Amino acid sequence: MLTSAFIIKFKLNFAYRAKISYYFHIFAAVSGSNKSVMRETVILDKKFREMITSEAISKRIEEMAAEINRDYKGKDVIFLGILNGAFLFAADLFKKIDLKARITFVKLASYQGTRSTGSVKELIGWNEDIKGLEVIVLEDIVDTGHTLDLIIGELKVRKVAGVKIATLLFKPDAYKKNFPVDYVGFRIPNDFVVGYGLDYDGYGRNLPSVYTLVK
Ligand code: IMP
Ligand code: MG
């Protein structure tokens, strides 16, 4: 009799504690004190969910830089950042480069809203004489590859010694070209993303992580 009362009391006690712990975890998740909480953000009329954390981006950029440092050891390299989207990626990657390196930027605007127009509208800022140089193009994202096509065409006209492409994000399912994308940070599905330099109608570039559109 005494034993069964004890067991019941023990069971109730356990259930009570489990419940407290359960509610604590829900509270932690909702209040944001739990690191695994899924982050969402609203930009203009659309909702986005965190897909690649800033920590994962930093780690991957370090790996990409190490690879480039290895491949171009002893060479004089010029990095060509494509504005606006690649400005954060270019800055973070360039800090990790230990080659004899320079960096310059050109601007290409081809995107409006959440769908690529497929046609490049603007190309400005070819200040540097890059003839005979080893060029590494820095892109935020390679989608259809139209932008890259145009840049590579321009670089050929300018008679560079060699071209390689480094991009933070790559959408293989959207890619329509054949030339290789040499250094890829993350391969992602063919969905619209923002953050870490990428925008939705000009907004969202300042987000430290990459977010994907919630449909
Ligand atoms: P592409 O010419 O179709 O390869 O597109 C390249 C450019 O479109 C990138 O440099 C970006 O500026 C933009 N872009 C492509 N996909 C996205 C996206 O998912 N979010 C934001 N911008 C994008
Ligand atoms: Mg871009």
Side-chain angles (χ1 to χ4, degrees):
M1 189 64 199
L2 196 76
T3 331
S4 63
F6 178 77
I7 290 170
I8 288 168
K9 196 175 167 200
F10 178 80
K11 277 187 176 168
L12 280 173
N13 194 2
F14 179 78
Y16 182 64
R17 276 167 196 265
K19 202 159 190 175
I20 287 182
S21 151
Y22 173 72
Y23 282 122
F24 173 76
H25 281 101
I26 288 193
F27 170 75
V30 170
S31 69
S33 58
N34 185 336
K35 272 203 158 180
S36 69
V37 68
M38 206 174 265
R39 271 173 248 182
E40 289 191 340
T41 187
V42 173
I43 301 171
L44 304 175
D45 59 336
K46 302 221 183 310
K47 197 156 129 190
F48 295 86
R49 183 173 300 129
E50 189 176 44
M51 187 173 73
I52 309 168
T53 64
S54 60
E55 292 81 10
I57 294 170
S58 305
K59 189 168 169 277
R60 187 69 191 115
I61 287 177
E62 220 158 288
E63 291 168 357
M64 292 173 85
E67 212 180 323
I68 293 171
N69 286 333
R70 262 198 314 275
D71 293 353
Y72 283 85
K73 200 168 182 209
K75 290 194 178 145
D76 190 337
V77 190
I78 187 153
F79 287 84
L80 181 72
I82 312 304
L83 296 173
N84 294 329
F87 77 108
L88 287 182
F89 173 55
D92 286 345
L93 183 94
F94 197 59
K95 281 186 281 184
K96 307 279 177 199
I97 295 297
D98 59 18
L99 305 164
K100 187 175 174 227
R102 288 176 285 173
I103 189 162
T104 188
F105 292 89
V106 290
K107 182 165 174 149
L108 277 146
S110 71
Y111 225 76
Q112 259 161 16
T114 55
R115 228 176 297 151
S116 175
T117 58
S119 62
V120 175
K121 289 181 193 146
E122 243 193 305
L123 185 150
I124 49 172
W126 291 98
N127 299 324
E128 231 78 22
D129 182 12
I130 49 174
K131 190 174 170 189
L133 298 179
E134 290 289 347
V135 180
I136 301 177
V137 175
L138 300 178
E139 263 285 27
D140 49 353
I141 187 164
V142 175
D143 186 357
T144 62
H146 287 310
T147 310
L148 219 50
D149 201 25
L150 195 118
I151 294 161
I152 288 174
E154 288 279 349
L155 291 172
K156 278 187 185 152
V157 170
R158 286 171 165 79
K159 296 190 166 49
V160 297
V163 188
K164 278 198 181 178
I165 314 299
T167 185
L168 180 73
L169 306 172
F170 180 42
K171 294 180 181 172
D173 298 338
Y175 194 54
K176 293 196 180 84
K177 308 290 170 183
N178 295 317
F179 41 76
V181 184
D182 308 278
Y183 304 99
V184 175
F186 301 91
R187 283 176 172 75
I188 61 166
N190 193 7
D191 298 320
F192 189 75
V193 292
V194 291
Y196 197 77
L198 292 123
D199 72 303
Y200 167 46
D201 278 356
Y203 295 94
R205 295 194 196 275
N206 50 331
L207 293 165
S209 305
V210 171
Y211 288 71
T212 188
L213 182 67
V214 178
K215 287 170 199 155

